[in-house]
Amino acid sequence: MSGQSLLEQLIDALRCLPGVGPKSAQRMALHLLERERDGGLHLAEILERAMQEIGRCQQCRDLTEHEVCAICSNPARDRSLLCVVESPVDVLALEQATAYRGLYFVLLGRLSPLDGVGPAELGLDQLERRLQERPPEELIIATNPTVEGEATAYYVQRMAQNLGIPVSVIAHGVPLGGELEYTDQTTLAHAFGSRRAVAPQAD
Amino acid sequence: MSGQSLLEQLIDALRCLPGVGPKSAQRMALHLLERERDGGLHLAEILERAMQEIGRCQQCRDLTEHEVCAICSNPARDRSLLCVVESPVDVLALEQATAYRGLYFVLLGRLSPLDGVGPAELGLDQLERRLQERPPEELIIATNPTVEGEATAYYVQRMAQNLGIPVSVIAHGVPLGGELEYTDQTTLAHAFGSRRAVAPQAD
């Protein structure tokens, strides 16, 4: 390319990563060249394969290099539970944090009409067919507690309830280890409004 | 490998980049897969070439994919000036900020005996031969104004002055646009001690 040196091309190319500006890109390029050639080569190889091979799971829309992802094709997973999340990272987070053994449905986004993201873009028609053909015993909604996430959750909830499927939503409130003093007002108001009765302790 | 999905492998591989932890790596992988497949493929290709082809310039030790780097092999550069810097990014910074048209010598580090970095690791023997064989008219020292950078500068300065080569050091002081109030004490003390007489203005 033109008169650019390979080092300059590398610095430019690294800027396609989110949150990486000119200075970070320089630092990354130098670090790889001076101390991490093997890591850099490994990254190049995995990156090329990932960009070419990773598509969406036909069943749950999660990112995968196979036709059907590892979770959907795992016979040990409980097919009577379906959890709706916004993004593949949410699947990773739930898999790491919880003992959930059911299946997922990945929207890959959230309803945002102003950005042109409607039900079709999120595969909600596919979700509806899935709910009709193989209705789960419980549909767990785990979208992010943002305005758009809540709107998406409401849409999914109505769709499932119209089909007579029991729906649950993960709890929103003060995070464990958090302090009321530093919790934002919206969260605190929600947590207060969603308080639940505590049964007397037997001892 | 093992049972890791390609997405998990990509997230792991991205962590060889400096300053990238598990969460940033997830964000980068998802961003590339959802919005920047072309950029990701381009990065993979450049990264592989860079890791395999980039070595050091035989003359100035700068990083380059050629035997002799673009600056050293450019006949328009002034061969009577030599500027010593710590790192290839310093060359980039000086090229962008200044009108300097001489040559460089890149140490790729700084003297740091505790970390096992001595004169040999910085190619200072190579620099000495260069100064003996083709003495420049001026040797400009542009190491970073840190303790180790200053020690390195002092070493290079003595080496050049023993060979009778005029040496200069870039100015250190209050940065332009900075305010005395917010300048650290060491810099301010140095700037005050290095004050220079101002000739009366003719008008």
Side-chain angles (χ1 to χ4, degrees), chain B residues 2 10 26 30-31 35 37 45 58 73-74 82 90 99 102-103 109 113 117 119 125 135 137 174 184 194-195:
Chain B
S2 73
L10 176 60
Q26 276 189 8
L30 267 288
H31 176 87
R35 275 184 285 266
R37 296 247 175 178
E45 183 202 320
Q58 287 181 350
S73 58
N74 182 347
L82 187 65
D90 302 329
L103 301 181
V117 180
D125 43 348
E137 288 170 22
V174 180
D184 67 284
S194 306
R195 66 191 178 277

Side-chain angles (χ1 to χ4, degrees), chain B residues 1-160:
Chain B
M1 317 290 158
S2 73
Q4 274 203 319
S5 73
L6 194 49
L7 176 61
E8 285 167 320
Q9 288 178 45
L10 176 60
I11 293 172
D12 274 359
L14 282 165
R15 295 195 52 193
C16 75
L17 298 171
V20 175
K23 289 284 174 194
S24 322
Q26 276 189 8
R27 198 162 52 93
M28 286 176 171
L30 267 288
H31 176 87
L32 291 176
L33 286 166
E34 289 175 11
R35 275 184 285 266
E36 280 264 37
R37 296 247 175 178
D38 289 346
L41 272 179
H42 177 68
L43 172 58
E45 183 202 320
I46 296 285
L47 190 55
E48 186 182 359
R49 278 188 52 207
M51 293 299 121
Q52 286 172 341
E53 295 175 22
I54 290 183
R56 293 186 184 177
C57 171
Q58 287 181 350
Q59 291 184 16
C60 75
R61 286 170 51 93
D62 198 1
L63 293 171
T64 174
E65 69 272 32
H66 305 295
E67 284 203 358
V68 175
C69 75
I71 292 177
C72 287
S73 58
N74 182 347
R77 306 287 302 209
D78 183 348
R79 267 137 228 287
S80 67
L81 296 174
L82 187 65
C83 177
V84 176
V85 295
E86 288 179 20
S87 148
V89 288
D90 302 329
V91 174
L92 295 177
L94 287 169
E95 286 292 296
Q96 282 159 19
T98 72
Y100 178 67
R101 300 295 296 160
L103 301 181
Y104 293 94
F105 188 86
V106 182
L107 301 172
L108 281 174
R110 56 192 90 176
L111 284 180
S112 181
L114 290 181
D115 300 322
V117 180
E121 281 71 29
L122 301 184
L124 287 171
D125 43 348
Q126 185 183 343
L127 176 61
E128 191 162 23
R129 280 198 305 280
R130 162 79 165 82
L131 294 180
Q132 285 166 339
E133 289 164 13
R134 288 172 292 146
E137 288 170 22
E138 182 183 352
L139 182 77
I140 303 163
I141 299 181
T143 53
N144 291 318
T146 57
V147 174
E148 285 129 341
E150 295 284 2
T152 313
Y154 183 67
Y155 189 102
V156 172
Q157 178 190 335
R158 270 204 335 196
M159 176 196 286

Side-chain angles (χ1 to χ4, degrees), chain A residues 116-134:
Chain A
V117 181
E121 281 71 29
L122 301 184
L124 288 171
D125 42 350
Q126 185 182 341
L127 176 62
E128 190 162 23
R129 278 198 307 278
R130 161 80 166 80
L131 295 180
Q132 286 166 339
E133 289 163 14
R134 288 171 293 147

Side-chain angles (χ1 to χ4, degrees), chain A residues 151-168:
Chain A
T152 313
Y154 183 68
Y155 189 101
V156 172
Q157 178 191 335
R158 270 203 335 196
M159 176 197 286
Q161 288 174 336
N162 284 343
L163 294 167
I165 295 167
V167 174
S168 64

